[in-house]
């Protein structure tokens, strides 16, 4: 397994700091989900932990070493990242895309091998894409495309996988399809998975560990049932809500309040109660 942590991390855009002196350890072999309002720094933090963004100070530590001092191929053998809204060149097939995941293992001395072939085949099978291997990626449905990109990260065979909003632009059926795939992969192979998700209820359902981010700081972290409370949701999202147990899974289920709709519902209820009397 590979450990991943941030130590005294400082991240900024120009003169504006997003995080200062942030410390975070990602639990090994678990699914961790970052939650928070738009612009709070979730994706920025994820990108920095994949070495896609250079910190102003502090470090990201991967398997005991400073990720900044590692070679690109060394990092790519330990950590894979699926950014938000990836795009493939026109006409690229699913098979060609998934084969890109084997790039970290190629060199002048080590060309394509039976091991590479097996990794690609296993990734296609795990994502249910074996029959679509020769299809162009841009001809697939949204859910199929996302599975193809996940298959590429699987073929990379890294112990750590980072995903930035993997369910964005997907309908509910495809959201569940993708999250189920990641859950099963974690359960079967104990890979460490870190995701940014906007849907709080799905985050609670699939996460072992939630990190709630607010104004450049970690507001709370832990198991969903420890972290997700009405007080936390109001502090992080400035939203009043009710938290109940998901009737299927027992995980926290957030029911948001609003003003006009809630007032109308109460008025309708009172009116109906008056008629019944």
């Amino acid at each position: 397994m590979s450990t991943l942590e941030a130590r005294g991390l400082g991240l900024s855009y120009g003169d504006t700091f997003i995080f200062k002196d942030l410390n975070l350890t990602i639990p090994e072999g678990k699914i961790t989900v970052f939650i928070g309002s738009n612009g709070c720094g979730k994706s920025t933090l994820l990108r920095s932990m994949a070495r896609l963004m250079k910190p102003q100070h502090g470090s990201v530590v991967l398997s005991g070493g400073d990720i900044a001092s590692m070679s690109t191929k060394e990092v790519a053998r330990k950590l894979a990242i699926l950014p938000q809204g990836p795009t493939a060149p026109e006409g690229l097939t699913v098979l060609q895309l998934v084969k890109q995941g084997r790039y970290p293992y190629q060199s002048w001395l080590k060309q394509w091998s039976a091991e590479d072939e097996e990794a690609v085949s296993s990734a296609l099978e795990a994502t249910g894409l074996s029959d679509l291997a020769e299809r162009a990626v841009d001809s697939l449905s949204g859910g199929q495309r996302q599975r193809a990109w996940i298959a590429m990260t699987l073929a990379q065979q890294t112990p750590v996988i980072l995903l930035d909003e993997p369910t964005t632009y997907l309908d509910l059926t495809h959201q569940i399809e993708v999250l189920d795939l990641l859950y099963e992969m974690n359960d079967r192979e104990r890979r460490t998975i870190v995701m940014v998700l906007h849907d709080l209820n799905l985050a609670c359902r699939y996460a072992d560990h939630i990190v709630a981010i607010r104004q450049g700081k970690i507001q709370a972290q832990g198991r969903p049932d420890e972290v997700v409370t009405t007080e936390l949701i109001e502090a992080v999202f400035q939203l009043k809500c009710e938290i109940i147990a998901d009737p299927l899974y027992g995980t926290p289920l957030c029911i948001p309040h609003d003003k006009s709709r809630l007032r109308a519902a109460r008025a309708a209820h009172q009116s109906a109660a008056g008629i019944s009397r």
Side-chain angles (χ1 to χ4, degrees):
M1 303 294 285
S2 290
T3 57
L4 181 64
E5 57 183 308
R7 296 179 182 174
L9 201 63
L11 301 169
S12 71
Y13 291 107
D15 296 330
T16 303
F17 267 88
I18 309 301
F19 293 99
K20 290 183 178 180
D21 299 317
L22 180 114
N23 295 292
L24 175 65
T25 298
I26 301 298
E28 285 186 74
K30 304 291 185 182
I31 296 177
T32 295
V33 176
F34 294 167
I35 64 170
S37 61
N38 289 341
C40 73
K42 303 183 298 296
S43 294
T44 297
L45 178 57
L46 193 80
R47 286 172 54 81
S48 72
M49 299 191 88
R51 208 178 67 168
L52 297 181
M53 182 175 181
K54 184 178 180 180
Q56 272 54 53
H57 57 77
S59 60
V60 173
V61 178
L62 177 62
S63 298
D66 187 338
I67 198 171
S69 66
M70 298 178 182
S71 70
T72 298
K73 283 196 172 183
E74 184 182 4
V75 173
R77 292 185 188 116
K78 296 178 179 180
L79 180 150
I81 181 166
L82 180 58
Q84 186 180 159
T87 57
E90 186 177 353
L92 190 76
T93 68
V94 172
L95 179 60
Q96 290 169 331
L97 175 66
V98 177
K99 282 185 172 182
Q100 297 301 308
R102 300 305 296 168
Y103 161 76
Y105 305 95
Q106 307 300 305
S107 68
W108 288 109
L109 297 176
K110 186 179 183 298
Q111 299 299 309
W112 193 261
S113 66
E115 181 183 356
D116 297 318
E117 201 67 44
E118 174 60 27
V120 169
S121 178
S122 295
L124 289 169
E125 183 178 353
T127 53
L129 293 172
S130 297
D131 292 340
L132 299 177
E134 299 302 329
R135 285 272 300 275
V137 175
D138 54 15
S139 73
L140 302 178
S141 69
Q144 290 170 333
R145 274 198 305 273
Q146 197 70 323
R147 279 192 284 141
W149 285 100
I150 292 172
M152 186 188 73
T153 66
L154 290 183
Q156 201 170 325
Q157 293 188 324
T158 58
V160 180
I161 298 177
L162 310 183
L163 305 103
D164 191 1
E165 299 185 32
T167 59
T168 298
Y169 307 124
L170 300 182
D171 61 34
L172 185 57
T173 298
H174 290 127
Q175 289 179 41
I176 297 299
E177 179 182 287
V178 166
L179 292 174
D180 275 350
L181 170 63
L182 294 169
Y183 179 87
E184 290 163 4
M185 180 175 65
N186 168 262
D187 186 56
R188 183 175 61 250
E189 303 174 16
R190 308 316 300 172
R191 298 201 202 193
T192 300
I193 295 175
V194 187
M195 293 187 281
V196 171
L197 288 180
H198 275 299
D199 190 308
L200 184 61
N201 292 331
L202 290 179
C204 289
R205 178 178 291 189
Y206 286 93
D208 299 302
H209 190 79
I210 279 184
V211 178
I213 299 171
R214 175 176 178 262
Q215 296 180 351
K217 294 182 180 179
I218 295 175
Q219 182 79 13
Q221 62 175 311
R223 295 197 320 265
D225 60 326
E226 297 173 332
V227 170
V228 179
T229 63
T230 55
E231 294 79 12
L232 177 110
I233 299 305
E234 186 164 6
V236 171
F237 296 96
Q238 289 75 58
L239 177 71
K240 292 186 180 296
C241 70
E242 303 295 327
I243 300 293
I244 63 173
D246 186 310
L248 291 179
Y249 299 94
T251 52
L253 187 67
C254 177
I255 303 175
H257 289 187
D258 60 25
K259 295 180 181 178
S260 58
R261 184 66 185 90
L262 183 61
R263 186 165 54 243
R266 286 174 174 167
H269 177 75
Q270 291 169 355
S271 175
I275 293 173
S276 66
R277 287 196 295 269

